[in-house]
């Protein structure tokens, strides 16, 4: 029998809840209280996440976020600012000691990204991993990824863009000046694509989630069974949301 | 008696690490003595463990702002604490810090 991993599907949560869930899973898997876990999720309201090392005030136009009802949150992973709107976000949480996960960090990025590539392949989208942390299709970025390792456990999360509004994204980010804003918008339009752009049609969350499920199952030779959070994970999620991700101390710490 | 006046300068730099990420440094330094007063290392790079960045910022306080000294200090912190950077390295970090002086 194939190894059984847990699949969680959580749509329409806030940025704080989503980041707290990832961290709760990390604790739970590290203590052996849950099997390796893959989660597919969306954000409501739309939100900007910034990398652990980024300065919130330097990257995000907080007033614009407030006006447009967009949340912002600091991740526990490094990497850049991401506008989470029309996308599927995934996370995988797995012990560092698991045989399927390379010890080398860059190699493990590649390995996990291959699951996403196989998922996109299910939708007839050809893509490839480009180090450090991107997946590109037709020469343009379709997915960004970020990994941390804590408690001897790997957490990698990332996005698969279903559609992208570059103007809206840049209205929420700090740019040096308006002239550069236009240049940055046209540059990013050249460099970023989406599932909708490639397929020429909208594809629902369920379809992309089904495709990604197969991608993970094939890449890791496992079965993903849809499950639920444990009681302890729910408590931890509430705790991390309250004590970290929704607080000024955490989000403004850099 | 001569009162020594310490001037703390504030500066920042942005440096694209070759084959890496965008590093943004915020530096306060003592101009008389050429020493780091306070340092924030920000950007879209990766570091393992993440908390290591706060350690580096802390350990570089009062460091002399000279290339060889900074590189050696940073290497030594990296080695002692088993820090792994992705999209950033000790040379680029040093370069970003010293760019604040120009």
């Amino acid at each position: 029998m194939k190894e059984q991993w847990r699949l969680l599907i959580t749509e329409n949560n806030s940025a704080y809840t989503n980041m707290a869930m990832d961290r709760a899973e990390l604790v739970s898997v590290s203590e052996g209280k849950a099997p390796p876990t893959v989660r597919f999720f969306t954000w409501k309201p739309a939100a900007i996440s910034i990398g652990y090392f980024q300065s919130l005030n330097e990257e995000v136009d907080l007033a614009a976020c407030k006006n447009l009802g967009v949340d912002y949150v600091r991740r526990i992973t490094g990497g850049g600012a991401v506008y989470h709107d029309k996308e599927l976000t995934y996370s995988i949480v797995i012990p560092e000691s698991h045989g399927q996960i390379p010890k080398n960090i860059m190699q493990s990025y590649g390995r996990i990204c291959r699951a996403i590539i196989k998922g996109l392949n299910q939708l007839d989208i050809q893509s490839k991993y480009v180090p450090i942390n991107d997946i590109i299709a037709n020469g343009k970025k379709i997915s960004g990824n970020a990994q941390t390792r804590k408690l001897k456990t790997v957490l990698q999360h990332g996005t698969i863009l279903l559609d992208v509004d570059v103007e809206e994204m840049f209205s929420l980010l700090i740019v040096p000046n308006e002239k550069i804003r236009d240049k940055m918008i046209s540059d990013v339009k050249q460099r970023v694509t989406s599932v909708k752009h490639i397929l020429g049609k909208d594809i629902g969350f369920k379809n992309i989630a089904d495709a990604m499920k197969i991608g993970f199952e094939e890449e890791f030779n496992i079965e993903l069974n849809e499950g639920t959070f444990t009681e302890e994970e729910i408590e931890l999620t509430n705790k991390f949301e309250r004590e970290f991700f929704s607080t000024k101390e955490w989000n403004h710490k850099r | 008696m001569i009162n020594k006046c310490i001037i703390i300068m504030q500066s920042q730099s942005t440096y694209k690490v070759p084959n890496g990420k965008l590093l943004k440094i915020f530096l306060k330094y003592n101009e008389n003595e050429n020493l780091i007063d306070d340092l924030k290392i920000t950007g879209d790079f990766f570091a393992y463990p993440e908390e290591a960045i706060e350690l580096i910022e802390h350990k570089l306080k009062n460091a002399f702002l000279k290339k060889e000294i900074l590189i050696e200090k940073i290497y030594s912190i990296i080695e002692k604490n088993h820090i792994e950077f992705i999209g950033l390295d000790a040379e680029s970090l040093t370069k970003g810090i010293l760019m604040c002086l120009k």
Side-chain angles (χ1 to χ4, degrees), chain A residues 52-54 58-59 78-80 105 109 132-133 147-148 150 253-254, chain B residues 21 24 26 41-48 50-51 54 57 86:
Chain A
Y52 180 81
F53 307 106
Q54 292 187 299
E58 289 289 317
E59 302 295 333
I105 293 175
Y109 267 100
I132 299 168
N133 57 330
Q147 184 185 122
T148 183
K150 292 186 194 305
K253 76 182 268 172
R254 302 185 79 75
Chain B
K21 299 290 189 178
K24 296 182 184 178
F26 299 86
I41 305 165
T42 76
D44 60 354
F45 54 86
F46 297 91
Y48 303 91
E50 285 80 5
E51 294 72 23
E54 278 112 20
E57 288 170 347
I86 293 179

PDB file of all heavy atoms in Angstrom, chain A residues 52-54 58-59 78-80 105 109 132-133 147-148 150 253-254, chain B residues 21 24 26 41-48 50-51 54 57 86:
ATOM      1  N   TYR A  52       9.856  36.881   5.447  1.00  0.00           N
ATOM      2  CA  TYR A  52      10.251  37.102   6.839  1.00  0.00           C
ATOM      3  C   TYR A  52      11.229  38.268   6.984  1.00  0.00           C
ATOM      4  O   TYR A  52      11.175  39.019   7.952  1.00  0.00           O
ATOM      5  CB  TYR A  52      10.875  35.822   7.413  1.00  0.00           C
ATOM      6  CG  TYR A  52      11.299  35.998   8.850  1.00  0.00           C
ATOM      7  CD1 TYR A  52      10.377  35.896   9.874  1.00  0.00           C
ATOM      8  CD2 TYR A  52      12.624  36.306   9.188  1.00  0.00           C
ATOM      9  CE1 TYR A  52      10.746  36.085  11.200  1.00  0.00           C
ATOM     10  CE2 TYR A  52      13.011  36.496  10.501  1.00  0.00           C
ATOM     11  CZ  TYR A  52      12.060  36.377  11.503  1.00  0.00           C
ATOM     12  OH  TYR A  52      12.440  36.583  12.802  1.00  0.00           O
ATOM     13  N   PHE A  53      12.126  38.440   6.004  1.00  0.00           N
ATOM     14  CA  PHE A  53      13.203  39.431   6.144  1.00  0.00           C
ATOM     15  C   PHE A  53      12.848  40.800   5.581  1.00  0.00           C
ATOM     16  O   PHE A  53      13.662  41.711   5.617  1.00  0.00           O
ATOM     17  CB  PHE A  53      14.476  38.928   5.472  1.00  0.00           C
ATOM     18  CG  PHE A  53      14.883  37.574   5.944  1.00  0.00           C
ATOM     19  CD1 PHE A  53      14.723  36.454   5.147  1.00  0.00           C
ATOM     20  CD2 PHE A  53      15.398  37.406   7.224  1.00  0.00           C
ATOM     21  CE1 PHE A  53      15.089  35.202   5.600  1.00  0.00           C
ATOM     22  CE2 PHE A  53      15.756  36.161   7.691  1.00  0.00           C
ATOM     23  CZ  PHE A  53      15.594  35.048   6.879  1.00  0.00           C
ATOM     24  N   GLN A  54      11.677  40.919   5.010  1.00  0.00           N
ATOM     25  CA  GLN A  54      11.345  42.194   4.376  1.00  0.00           C
ATOM     26  C   GLN A  54      10.841  43.213   5.391  1.00  0.00           C
ATOM     27  O   GLN A  54      10.300  42.864   6.440  1.00  0.00           O
ATOM     28  CB  GLN A  54      10.294  41.973   3.286  1.00  0.00           C
ATOM     29  CG  GLN A  54      10.851  41.194   2.101  1.00  0.00           C
ATOM     30  CD  GLN A  54       9.879  41.128   0.952  1.00  0.00           C
ATOM     31  OE1 GLN A  54       8.775  40.601   1.081  1.00  0.00           O
ATOM     32  NE2 GLN A  54      10.277  41.670  -0.199  1.00  0.00           N
ATOM     33  N   GLU A  58       8.568  49.347   3.979  1.00  0.00           N
ATOM     34  CA  GLU A  58       9.316  49.585   2.742  1.00  0.00           C
ATOM     35  C   GLU A  58       8.683  48.896   1.543  1.00  0.00           C
ATOM     36  O   GLU A  58       8.940  49.265   0.400  1.00  0.00           O
ATOM     37  CB  GLU A  58      10.755  49.065   2.882  1.00  0.00           C
ATOM     38  CG  GLU A  58      11.613  49.877   3.809  1.00  0.00           C
ATOM     39  CD  GLU A  58      11.971  51.240   3.218  1.00  0.00           C
ATOM     40  OE1 GLU A  58      12.307  51.287   2.027  1.00  0.00           O
ATOM     41  OE2 GLU A  58      11.900  52.225   3.963  1.00  0.00           O
ATOM     42  N   GLU A  59       7.902  47.845   1.801  1.00  0.00           N
ATOM     43  CA  GLU A  59       7.371  47.034   0.702  1.00  0.00           C
ATOM     44  C   GLU A  59       5.892  47.264   0.426  1.00  0.00           C
ATOM     45  O   GLU A  59       5.448  47.129  -0.709  1.00  0.00           O
ATOM     46  CB  GLU A  59       7.573  45.529   1.000  1.00  0.00           C
ATOM     47  CG  GLU A  59       9.011  45.107   1.225  1.00  0.00           C
ATOM     48  CD  GLU A  59       9.898  45.269   0.002  1.00  0.00           C
ATOM     49  OE1 GLU A  59       9.382  45.223  -1.133  1.00  0.00           O
ATOM     50  OE2 GLU A  59      11.117  45.461   0.181  1.00  0.00           O
ATOM     51  N   GLY A  78      11.251  33.114   4.122  1.00  0.00           N
ATOM     52  CA  GLY A  78      11.873  34.215   3.401  1.00  0.00           C
ATOM     53  C   GLY A  78      11.193  34.418   2.052  1.00  0.00           C
ATOM     54  O   GLY A  78      10.091  33.922   1.811  1.00  0.00           O
ATOM     55  N   GLY A  79      11.882  35.168   1.175  1.00  0.00           N
ATOM     56  CA  GLY A  79      11.319  35.426  -0.144  1.00  0.00           C
ATOM     57  C   GLY A  79      10.685  36.800  -0.218  1.00  0.00           C
ATOM     58  O   GLY A  79      10.899  37.634   0.666  1.00  0.00           O
ATOM     59  N   GLY A  80       9.927  37.028  -1.284  1.00  0.00           N
ATOM     60  CA  GLY A  80       9.437  38.368  -1.571  1.00  0.00           C
ATOM     61  C   GLY A  80       7.970  38.587  -1.249  1.00  0.00           C
ATOM     62  O   GLY A  80       7.280  37.686  -0.757  1.00  0.00           O
ATOM     63  N   ILE A 105      18.787  21.984   0.817  1.00  0.00           N
ATOM     64  CA  ILE A 105      17.610  22.855   0.717  1.00  0.00           C
ATOM     65  C   ILE A 105      17.236  23.149  -0.738  1.00  0.00           C
ATOM     66  O   ILE A 105      16.071  23.027  -1.126  1.00  0.00           O
ATOM     67  CB  ILE A 105      17.829  24.163   1.510  1.00  0.00           C
ATOM     68  CG1 ILE A 105      17.903  23.843   3.013  1.00  0.00           C
ATOM     69  CG2 ILE A 105      16.695  25.165   1.253  1.00  0.00           C
ATOM     70  CD1 ILE A 105      18.245  25.032   3.898  1.00  0.00           C
ATOM     71  N   TYR A 109      13.717  22.224  -2.716  1.00  0.00           N
ATOM     72  CA  TYR A 109      12.849  23.139  -3.480  1.00  0.00           C
ATOM     73  C   TYR A 109      12.467  22.498  -4.810  1.00  0.00           C
ATOM     74  O   TYR A 109      11.312  22.467  -5.206  1.00  0.00           O
ATOM     75  CB  TYR A 109      13.590  24.450  -3.792  1.00  0.00           C
ATOM     76  CG  TYR A 109      13.394  25.569  -2.804  1.00  0.00           C
ATOM     77  CD1 TYR A 109      14.345  25.844  -1.842  1.00  0.00           C
ATOM     78  CD2 TYR A 109      12.262  26.374  -2.854  1.00  0.00           C
ATOM     79  CE1 TYR A 109      14.192  26.890  -0.948  1.00  0.00           C
ATOM     80  CE2 TYR A 109      12.094  27.426  -1.963  1.00  0.00           C
ATOM     81  CZ  TYR A 109      13.062  27.676  -1.007  1.00  0.00           C
ATOM     82  OH  TYR A 109      12.900  28.710  -0.130  1.00  0.00           O
ATOM     83  N   ILE A 132      15.991  30.383  -7.972  1.00  0.00           N
ATOM     84  CA  ILE A 132      15.951  29.785  -6.657  1.00  0.00           C
ATOM     85  C   ILE A 132      14.571  29.206  -6.335  1.00  0.00           C
ATOM     86  O   ILE A 132      14.467  28.109  -5.795  1.00  0.00           O
ATOM     87  CB  ILE A 132      16.362  30.869  -5.600  1.00  0.00           C
ATOM     88  CG1 ILE A 132      17.782  31.322  -5.903  1.00  0.00           C
ATOM     89  CG2 ILE A 132      16.158  30.410  -4.192  1.00  0.00           C
ATOM     90  CD1 ILE A 132      18.208  32.567  -5.134  1.00  0.00           C
ATOM     91  N   ASN A 133      13.526  29.916  -6.687  1.00  0.00           N
ATOM     92  CA  ASN A 133      12.224  29.491  -6.145  1.00  0.00           C
ATOM     93  C   ASN A 133      11.049  29.755  -7.083  1.00  0.00           C
ATOM     94  O   ASN A 133       9.945  30.004  -6.619  1.00  0.00           O
ATOM     95  CB  ASN A 133      11.980  30.177  -4.784  1.00  0.00           C
ATOM     96  CG  ASN A 133      12.049  31.696  -4.857  1.00  0.00           C
ATOM     97  OD1 ASN A 133      12.763  32.255  -5.684  1.00  0.00           O
ATOM     98  ND2 ASN A 133      11.291  32.353  -4.013  1.00  0.00           N
ATOM     99  N   GLN A 147      10.424  28.250   1.357  1.00  0.00           N
ATOM    100  CA  GLN A 147      10.561  27.128   2.292  1.00  0.00           C
ATOM    101  C   GLN A 147      11.227  27.574   3.590  1.00  0.00           C
ATOM    102  O   GLN A 147      12.127  28.413   3.580  1.00  0.00           O
ATOM    103  CB  GLN A 147      11.423  26.047   1.635  1.00  0.00           C
ATOM    104  CG  GLN A 147      11.557  24.789   2.471  1.00  0.00           C
ATOM    105  CD  GLN A 147      12.524  23.759   1.880  1.00  0.00           C
ATOM    106  OE1 GLN A 147      13.487  23.357   2.512  1.00  0.00           O
ATOM    107  NE2 GLN A 147      12.259  23.334   0.649  1.00  0.00           N
ATOM    108  N   THR A 148      10.775  26.991   4.686  1.00  0.00           N
ATOM    109  CA  THR A 148      11.489  27.133   5.944  1.00  0.00           C
ATOM    110  C   THR A 148      11.679  25.739   6.546  1.00  0.00           C
ATOM    111  O   THR A 148      10.994  24.787   6.164  1.00  0.00           O
ATOM    112  CB  THR A 148      10.746  28.041   6.953  1.00  0.00           C
ATOM    113  OG1 THR A 148      11.551  28.189   8.124  1.00  0.00           O
ATOM    114  CG2 THR A 148       9.403  27.464   7.366  1.00  0.00           C
ATOM    115  N   LYS A 150      11.975  24.237  10.405  1.00  0.00           N
ATOM    116  CA  LYS A 150      11.944  24.473  11.850  1.00  0.00           C
ATOM    117  C   LYS A 150      11.523  23.177  12.502  1.00  0.00           C
ATOM    118  O   LYS A 150      10.769  22.402  11.906  1.00  0.00           O
ATOM    119  CB  LYS A 150      10.912  25.549  12.201  1.00  0.00           C
ATOM    120  CG  LYS A 150      11.249  26.951  11.726  1.00  0.00           C
ATOM    121  CD  LYS A 150      10.228  27.946  12.258  1.00  0.00           C
ATOM    122  CE  LYS A 150      10.320  29.271  11.549  1.00  0.00           C
ATOM    123  NZ  LYS A 150      11.648  29.884  11.564  1.00  0.00           N
ATOM    124  N   LYS A 253       7.642  43.887  12.577  1.00  0.00           N
ATOM    125  CA  LYS A 253       8.905  43.655  13.300  1.00  0.00           C
ATOM    126  C   LYS A 253      10.136  44.053  12.503  1.00  0.00           C
ATOM    127  O   LYS A 253      11.184  44.333  13.069  1.00  0.00           O
ATOM    128  CB  LYS A 253       9.001  42.218  13.821  1.00  0.00           C
ATOM    129  CG  LYS A 253       9.316  41.165  12.777  1.00  0.00           C
ATOM    130  CD  LYS A 253       9.330  39.786  13.417  1.00  0.00           C
ATOM    131  CE  LYS A 253      10.719  39.408  13.865  1.00  0.00           C
ATOM    132  NZ  LYS A 253      10.778  38.190  14.644  1.00  0.00           N
ATOM    133  N   ARG A 254      10.015  44.132  11.179  1.00  0.00           N
ATOM    134  CA  ARG A 254      11.151  44.606  10.384  1.00  0.00           C
ATOM    135  C   ARG A 254      10.703  45.703   9.451  1.00  0.00           C
ATOM    136  O   ARG A 254       9.619  45.706   8.964  1.00  0.00           O
ATOM    137  CB  ARG A 254      11.764  43.473   9.559  1.00  0.00           C
ATOM    138  CG  ARG A 254      12.232  42.321  10.387  1.00  0.00           C
ATOM    139  CD  ARG A 254      12.932  41.298   9.536  1.00  0.00           C
ATOM    140  NE  ARG A 254      14.272  41.687   9.225  1.00  0.00           N
ATOM    141  CZ  ARG A 254      15.297  41.651  10.076  1.00  0.00           C
ATOM    142  NH1 ARG A 254      15.107  41.256  11.293  1.00  0.00           N
ATOM    143  NH2 ARG A 254      16.495  42.020   9.701  1.00  0.00           N
TER     144      ARG A 254
ATOM    145  N   LYS B  21      19.184  37.610  -4.669  1.00  0.00           N
ATOM    146  CA  LYS B  21      17.993  38.397  -4.379  1.00  0.00           C
ATOM    147  C   LYS B  21      18.342  39.864  -4.132  1.00  0.00           C
ATOM    148  O   LYS B  21      19.502  40.257  -4.229  1.00  0.00           O
ATOM    149  CB  LYS B  21      17.296  37.791  -3.160  1.00  0.00           C
ATOM    150  CG  LYS B  21      16.830  36.345  -3.374  1.00  0.00           C
ATOM    151  CD  LYS B  21      15.672  36.279  -4.357  1.00  0.00           C
ATOM    152  CE  LYS B  21      15.053  34.901  -4.425  1.00  0.00           C
ATOM    153  NZ  LYS B  21      13.911  34.857  -5.347  1.00  0.00           N
ATOM    154  N   LYS B  24      18.310  44.973   1.016  1.00  0.00           N
ATOM    155  CA  LYS B  24      18.117  46.380   1.417  1.00  0.00           C
ATOM    156  C   LYS B  24      18.623  46.548   2.843  1.00  0.00           C
ATOM    157  O   LYS B  24      18.121  45.901   3.761  1.00  0.00           O
ATOM    158  CB  LYS B  24      16.632  46.765   1.346  1.00  0.00           C
ATOM    159  CG  LYS B  24      16.052  46.726  -0.061  1.00  0.00           C
ATOM    160  CD  LYS B  24      14.598  47.175  -0.064  1.00  0.00           C
ATOM    161  CE  LYS B  24      14.003  47.047  -1.458  1.00  0.00           C
ATOM    162  NZ  LYS B  24      12.572  47.423  -1.485  1.00  0.00           N
ATOM    163  N   PHE B  26      19.555  48.989   6.130  1.00  0.00           N
ATOM    164  CA  PHE B  26      19.316  50.247   6.851  1.00  0.00           C
ATOM    165  C   PHE B  26      20.390  50.340   7.924  1.00  0.00           C
ATOM    166  O   PHE B  26      20.488  49.451   8.774  1.00  0.00           O
ATOM    167  CB  PHE B  26      17.913  50.263   7.466  1.00  0.00           C
ATOM    168  CG  PHE B  26      16.843  50.151   6.427  1.00  0.00           C
ATOM    169  CD1 PHE B  26      16.417  48.904   5.978  1.00  0.00           C
ATOM    170  CD2 PHE B  26      16.285  51.288   5.859  1.00  0.00           C
ATOM    171  CE1 PHE B  26      15.452  48.798   4.985  1.00  0.00           C
ATOM    172  CE2 PHE B  26      15.319  51.188   4.870  1.00  0.00           C
ATOM    173  CZ  PHE B  26      14.902  49.941   4.428  1.00  0.00           C
ATOM    174  N   ILE B  41      18.977  44.224   8.266  1.00  0.00           N
ATOM    175  CA  ILE B  41      19.241  43.517   7.012  1.00  0.00           C
ATOM    176  C   ILE B  41      17.903  43.028   6.480  1.00  0.00           C
ATOM    177  O   ILE B  41      17.291  42.136   7.074  1.00  0.00           O
ATOM    178  CB  ILE B  41      20.190  42.324   7.245  1.00  0.00           C
ATOM    179  CG1 ILE B  41      21.481  42.793   7.926  1.00  0.00           C
ATOM    180  CG2 ILE B  41      20.482  41.595   5.938  1.00  0.00           C
ATOM    181  CD1 ILE B  41      22.300  41.645   8.521  1.00  0.00           C
ATOM    182  N   THR B  42      17.419  43.635   5.394  1.00  0.00           N
ATOM    183  CA  THR B  42      16.110  43.216   4.879  1.00  0.00           C
ATOM    184  C   THR B  42      16.230  42.828   3.407  1.00  0.00           C
ATOM    185  O   THR B  42      17.230  43.120   2.754  1.00  0.00           O
ATOM    186  CB  THR B  42      15.053  44.346   5.022  1.00  0.00           C
ATOM    187  OG1 THR B  42      15.290  45.333   4.017  1.00  0.00           O
ATOM    188  CG2 THR B  42      15.100  45.003   6.398  1.00  0.00           C
ATOM    189  N   GLY B  43      15.192  42.172   2.897  1.00  0.00           N
ATOM    190  CA  GLY B  43      15.199  41.798   1.490  1.00  0.00           C
ATOM    191  C   GLY B  43      14.426  40.516   1.244  1.00  0.00           C
ATOM    192  O   GLY B  43      13.835  39.941   2.170  1.00  0.00           O
ATOM    193  N   ASP B  44      14.440  40.048  -0.019  1.00  0.00           N
ATOM    194  CA  ASP B  44      13.635  38.873  -0.368  1.00  0.00           C
ATOM    195  C   ASP B  44      14.489  37.603  -0.495  1.00  0.00           C
ATOM    196  O   ASP B  44      14.131  36.663  -1.180  1.00  0.00           O
ATOM    197  CB  ASP B  44      12.823  39.123  -1.645  1.00  0.00           C
ATOM    198  CG  ASP B  44      13.688  39.439  -2.845  1.00  0.00           C
ATOM    199  OD1 ASP B  44      14.914  39.579  -2.688  1.00  0.00           O
ATOM    200  OD2 ASP B  44      13.137  39.549  -3.959  1.00  0.00           O
ATOM    201  N   PHE B  45      15.603  37.589   0.235  1.00  0.00           N
ATOM    202  CA  PHE B  45      16.488  36.412   0.255  1.00  0.00           C
ATOM    203  C   PHE B  45      15.954  35.360   1.242  1.00  0.00           C
ATOM    204  O   PHE B  45      14.915  35.560   1.873  1.00  0.00           O
ATOM    205  CB  PHE B  45      17.899  36.843   0.669  1.00  0.00           C
ATOM    206  CG  PHE B  45      17.941  37.604   1.961  1.00  0.00           C
ATOM    207  CD1 PHE B  45      18.014  36.950   3.179  1.00  0.00           C
ATOM    208  CD2 PHE B  45      17.865  39.001   1.963  1.00  0.00           C
ATOM    209  CE1 PHE B  45      18.014  37.654   4.365  1.00  0.00           C
ATOM    210  CE2 PHE B  45      17.872  39.716   3.147  1.00  0.00           C
ATOM    211  CZ  PHE B  45      17.944  39.045   4.357  1.00  0.00           C
ATOM    212  N   PHE B  46      16.685  34.255   1.361  1.00  0.00           N
ATOM    213  CA  PHE B  46      16.356  33.211   2.330  1.00  0.00           C
ATOM    214  C   PHE B  46      17.556  32.994   3.246  1.00  0.00           C
ATOM    215  O   PHE B  46      18.702  33.087   2.807  1.00  0.00           O
ATOM    216  CB  PHE B  46      16.039  31.883   1.629  1.00  0.00           C
ATOM    217  CG  PHE B  46      14.824  31.950   0.741  1.00  0.00           C
ATOM    218  CD1 PHE B  46      14.952  32.289  -0.601  1.00  0.00           C
ATOM    219  CD2 PHE B  46      13.564  31.687   1.241  1.00  0.00           C
ATOM    220  CE1 PHE B  46      13.835  32.359  -1.429  1.00  0.00           C
ATOM    221  CE2 PHE B  46      12.438  31.757   0.426  1.00  0.00           C
ATOM    222  CZ  PHE B  46      12.576  32.093  -0.915  1.00  0.00           C
ATOM    223  N   ALA B  47      17.273  32.712   4.517  1.00  0.00           N
ATOM    224  CA  ALA B  47      18.337  32.363   5.458  1.00  0.00           C
ATOM    225  C   ALA B  47      17.814  31.289   6.392  1.00  0.00           C
ATOM    226  O   ALA B  47      16.656  31.346   6.829  1.00  0.00           O
ATOM    227  CB  ALA B  47      18.793  33.587   6.250  1.00  0.00           C
ATOM    228  N   TYR B  48      18.646  30.295   6.669  1.00  0.00           N
ATOM    229  CA  TYR B  48      18.258  29.173   7.535  1.00  0.00           C
ATOM    230  C   TYR B  48      19.252  29.056   8.675  1.00  0.00           C
ATOM    231  O   TYR B  48      20.432  28.912   8.391  1.00  0.00           O
ATOM    232  CB  TYR B  48      18.213  27.884   6.729  1.00  0.00           C
ATOM    233  CG  TYR B  48      17.270  27.983   5.552  1.00  0.00           C
ATOM    234  CD1 TYR B  48      17.724  28.417   4.310  1.00  0.00           C
ATOM    235  CD2 TYR B  48      15.923  27.681   5.702  1.00  0.00           C
ATOM    236  CE1 TYR B  48      16.842  28.537   3.236  1.00  0.00           C
ATOM    237  CE2 TYR B  48      15.046  27.794   4.637  1.00  0.00           C
ATOM    238  CZ  TYR B  48      15.504  28.221   3.406  1.00  0.00           C
ATOM    239  OH  TYR B  48      14.647  28.347   2.350  1.00  0.00           O
ATOM    240  N   GLU B  50      15.943  31.277  10.058  1.00  0.00           N
ATOM    241  CA  GLU B  50      15.581  32.674   9.802  1.00  0.00           C
ATOM    242  C   GLU B  50      16.053  33.611  10.922  1.00  0.00           C
ATOM    243  O   GLU B  50      16.456  34.734  10.665  1.00  0.00           O
ATOM    244  CB  GLU B  50      14.064  32.811   9.633  1.00  0.00           C
ATOM    245  CG  GLU B  50      13.528  32.302   8.292  1.00  0.00           C
ATOM    246  CD  GLU B  50      13.355  30.804   8.221  1.00  0.00           C
ATOM    247  OE1 GLU B  50      13.570  30.133   9.254  1.00  0.00           O
ATOM    248  OE2 GLU B  50      13.012  30.290   7.145  1.00  0.00           O
ATOM    249  N   GLU B  51      15.973  33.121  12.152  1.00  0.00           N
ATOM    250  CA  GLU B  51      16.314  33.978  13.303  1.00  0.00           C
ATOM    251  C   GLU B  51      17.793  34.390  13.271  1.00  0.00           C
ATOM    252  O   GLU B  51      18.205  35.312  13.982  1.00  0.00           O
ATOM    253  CB  GLU B  51      16.018  33.251  14.631  1.00  0.00           C
ATOM    254  CG  GLU B  51      14.543  32.989  14.878  1.00  0.00           C
ATOM    255  CD  GLU B  51      13.969  31.896  13.975  1.00  0.00           C
ATOM    256  OE1 GLU B  51      14.741  31.048  13.476  1.00  0.00           O
ATOM    257  OE2 GLU B  51      12.744  31.898  13.751  1.00  0.00           O
ATOM    258  N   GLU B  54      18.689  38.151  12.866  1.00  0.00           N
ATOM    259  CA  GLU B  54      18.696  39.029  14.045  1.00  0.00           C
ATOM    260  C   GLU B  54      20.021  38.869  14.805  1.00  0.00           C
ATOM    261  O   GLU B  54      20.560  39.826  15.338  1.00  0.00           O
ATOM    262  CB  GLU B  54      17.509  38.710  14.959  1.00  0.00           C
ATOM    263  CG  GLU B  54      16.215  39.374  14.496  1.00  0.00           C
ATOM    264  CD  GLU B  54      15.148  38.413  13.990  1.00  0.00           C
ATOM    265  OE1 GLU B  54      15.216  37.214  14.328  1.00  0.00           O
ATOM    266  OE2 GLU B  54      14.246  38.840  13.241  1.00  0.00           O
ATOM    267  N   GLU B  57      22.639  40.829  12.894  1.00  0.00           N
ATOM    268  CA  GLU B  57      22.453  42.268  13.148  1.00  0.00           C
ATOM    269  C   GLU B  57      23.016  42.639  14.524  1.00  0.00           C
ATOM    270  O   GLU B  57      23.683  43.662  14.680  1.00  0.00           O
ATOM    271  CB  GLU B  57      20.956  42.625  13.090  1.00  0.00           C
ATOM    272  CG  GLU B  57      20.386  42.596  11.686  1.00  0.00           C
ATOM    273  CD  GLU B  57      18.858  42.709  11.651  1.00  0.00           C
ATOM    274  OE1 GLU B  57      18.205  42.567  12.708  1.00  0.00           O
ATOM    275  OE2 GLU B  57      18.316  42.929  10.554  1.00  0.00           O
ATOM    276  N   ILE B  86      20.470  31.649   1.068  1.00  0.00           N
ATOM    277  CA  ILE B  86      20.150  31.393  -0.338  1.00  0.00           C
ATOM    278  C   ILE B  86      19.757  32.735  -0.953  1.00  0.00           C
ATOM    279  O   ILE B  86      18.895  33.433  -0.428  1.00  0.00           O
ATOM    280  CB  ILE B  86      19.026  30.339  -0.488  1.00  0.00           C
ATOM    281  CG1 ILE B  86      19.539  28.976   0.001  1.00  0.00           C
ATOM    282  CG2 ILE B  86      18.554  30.246  -1.939  1.00  0.00           C
ATOM    283  CD1 ILE B  86      18.527  27.852  -0.062  1.00  0.00           C
TER     284      ILE B  86
END
